[in-house]
Structure formats: structure tokens, C-alpha cells
Amino acid sequence: MEQAILGATGDVGGLLLEELRNRDLEVTALSRNVPENDSRIEGVKYLPADAENLDSLVTATRGLDVLYSTIAVPYGTESWQQSWPVIMRNIISAARSNNFKLVFLDNIYMYGRVEGPITEETPIHPASKKGEVRTKIASMLLDAMAAGEVNAVIGRSADFYGPDTRMSRNFFEGTLNDGVATWKGKTDVMCTWNYTLDNAKALAVLGNDTRAEGQVWHLPAAPAMKGSEFIKLAGSILGKELKTVLIPNAEPGSREAFKAQMPEIYEMLYQYEYDLDFNSDKFQETFGIKPTSYEDGFRYVYKLLQQRADSQK
């Protein structure tokens, strides 16, 4: 079975590549910039593909059985508004032309601020411009699915952590190296993080199990915890008391300064200022797969970071 990943060099795409290879599947890595030969994984075929160019995407996906889209767009409102509708339109057109099954990695921005658990049945009510973009492109795909034009699956993830993610560079490296836990928003509200290794495994399941087809699935995540509990867990694993630095802090004018300096992150700050209880029971109960605990996930990330630090000494 021929399977390919669009965005194979990203935080989740790279792990998904390894997961599919472990399943002994024929895998093609599609990306705008094909890595040099010495950076490639043995047994993986690499092809150039520009998701914003329909001809390029159609050519790259001919003969595929399954395409996983884990592609990312630069994190800016204007770039999202310009690029995402084009990308989704092209992916749908390529799926129509080449008749492959599509597995699309989505986020949860379209739900907006929600009181109570967020499930696949939660009404769509975006609370940000980026959420409006995600609503638009999800609607495009869901409409094509409902019309029978494409065979597709949507896997949704909350913000994620894991090896080589932005979260690792900020929270984990800060706690490991400096004893400082930098935290966005408030520490007394509930938060859910998905683990990138779990995301990769879950996407592989969605691509290879017919029970998943035609549906939206929340990828498996450990139960929500308060921000203070995440910080306490990190300190416990590292064996030290961590200093917490809030962004924005409580000083007068800090919030406005943060908004001016980091507007793209500021509009999503509600996810860390109000409870975010992401529920993945549907996936867990259907496929019998449980998420990695935060403790095990944190320990693995710290282990990798420490190994890299030791190798550079």
C-alpha cells in the first residue's frame, strides 16, 4: 500500500514517517524542500510537492492509497488567511483526481472557548481570526466528505508537546537548563496537551483502519491538568523546585505590551486563561489505544534533551 506524508519534515510528520516505516509500509515523504541525501531515512522515497500549487500536488500524489496531511503554515493570521484555503482546495482536488484516502491533521481552534469537555460533537464557535480560518478549511473538507467527493478522516489535536517542538524549546529547555517554568496565561486553569508521538501513532491508525473513515476524531490525550500541576510534575521529574514566570505577568501594562509584541500568540491566549478540557474518549474506546501519561512523556523529552546536551560537551 502506497502512503505519503505531506509535511513530512514537521513536528508530527517526521514521527509519523517513522511510525509508518515501523509498520513496513511503503512511504513517500512530500515536502517543498526535499532534504539532502545524508538526511534521508533509508527505505523512504522523497519527492518535492508544493501544496499551494495544484499541478505539483496532483503529480506528487499519483498512485497513492493514503495521503496524510501534517503540513504547517507560518504562524501568522495573514499567512493563514492566504495559504490555508488554497492548500485545502488543492488537497481536495488532488484527492478527487487521484482517489486516495486523506487523513488530515487538524487543530481545535474552531471550537473557541468552551465550558466543559470538548468532544467531536462540540459546536463550532471560533473565538479568533485563526479559528475562523480553521473553521473555513474544515468546512471545505467536511462538505466534500458529505458529498462523497473524497474519502477522508480528520484527526484533531490540542496544542502539543514532544521531541523538537516549540514547547520543548521553551518550557522543557527552560526548566531543565535554568530552573524556570515559563507559562502562558494562568496556572490555576485546566489545560490539555497532546503528545506528538501519540499523534503520530493515532494518525497511522486513522489511515489504516476503515472504521475511522468519514469521521472527525480527537487524537488521544491524557486528562487535563492545571498549569500548576504541569509545572509541579516537571519539577518533580527534575528533582528541583522551579521558578514560575507568567506571560503576560501581573505588572500593569504587561498584557498590552504582550499583545503589541506577540499579537499572533495573544489572540490564542484564551486557551490558557480558561479551562481547556479536550476529550478523546471516542478514539480511545473505538481503537483501544490509551494516551501516554504526562509523566512518561515529560521523562522522555527530558531524556532526549539531556542526551543531546551531554553529546555537545
Side-chain angles (χ1 to χ4, degrees), residues 43 52 92 100 134 163 196 264 287:
E52 295 189 62
I92 292 172
F100 54 74
R134 301 306 300 204
T196 50
E264 301 299 342
F287 302 110

Side-chain angles (χ1 to χ4, degrees), residues 61 64-67 91 94-96 98-102 150-151:
T61 57
L64 286 183
D65 295 295
V66 182
L67 175 69
I91 291 175
R96 286 198 200 103
N98 294 329
N99 199 33
F100 54 74
K101 175 181 175 178
L102 170 64
V150 296
N151 177 15

Side-chain angles (χ1 to χ4, degrees), residues 7-153:
T9 58
D11 291 343
V12 176
L15 297 172
L16 176 58
L17 192 61
E18 296 179 14
E19 178 67 24
L20 296 177
R21 286 294 297 145
N22 290 339
R23 289 169 171 254
D24 293 324
L25 294 166
E26 295 184 43
V27 187
T28 299
L30 305 177
S31 60
R32 185 173 293 179
N33 300 309
V34 176
E36 300 293 334
N37 287 334
D38 58 358
S39 299
R40 300 182 184 184
I41 299 175
E42 184 177 354
V44 175
K45 182 166 63 175
Y46 290 83
L47 290 176
D50 182 355
E52 295 189 62
N53 183 303
L54 179 57
D55 290 339
S56 169
L57 191 58
V58 170
T59 299
T61 57
R62 285 198 181 108
L64 286 183
D65 295 295
V66 182
L67 175 69
Y68 302 86
S69 174
T70 62
I71 194 169
V73 170
Y75 200 73
T77 299
E78 290 187 8
S79 61
W80 276 37
Q81 291 171 335
Q82 293 171 4
S83 296
W84 267 121
V86 175
I87 291 171
M88 181 57 77
R89 188 159 48 245
N90 289 346
I91 291 175
I92 292 172
S93 294
R96 286 198 200 103
S97 297
N98 294 329
N99 199 33
F100 54 74
K101 175 181 175 178
L102 170 64
V103 180
F104 183 74
L105 174 61
D106 203 355
N107 66 23
I108 61 170
Y109 290 3
M110 73 289 297
Y111 294 126
R113 179 187 165 192
V114 179
E115 294 185 7
I118 303 174
T119 73
E120 291 85 349
E121 304 302 320
T122 294
I124 303 303
H125 190 67
S128 65
K129 292 180 180 178
K130 292 190 192 70
E132 292 172 356
V133 174
R134 301 306 300 204
T135 298
K136 179 176 181 178
I137 64 171
S139 296
M140 292 168 65
L141 181 53
L142 288 168
D143 287 346
M145 292 162 62
E149 299 174 1
V150 296
N151 177 15
V153 181

Side-chain angles (χ1 to χ4, degrees), residues 177-190:
N177 300 328
D178 305 317
V180 175
T182 301
W183 190 264
K184 295 194 298 289
K186 301 176 181 178
T187 60
D188 60 348
V189 300
M190 304 296 286

Side-chain angles (χ1 to χ4, degrees), residues 273-308:
E273 293 190 324
Y274 300 94
D275 287 343
L276 194 161
D277 184 7
F278 178 78
N279 180 282
S280 57
D281 287 352
K282 175 185 171 183
F283 186 102
Q284 295 182 51
E285 292 169 2
T286 301
F287 302 110
I289 297 175
K290 301 297 182 183
T292 301
S293 69
Y294 290 120
E295 180 173 357
D296 288 346
F298 277 32
R299 288 188 182 279
Y300 183 69
V301 172
Y302 282 127
K303 178 182 176 181
L304 289 182
L305 290 174
Q306 190 62 62
Q307 288 175 343
R308 291 172 188 174

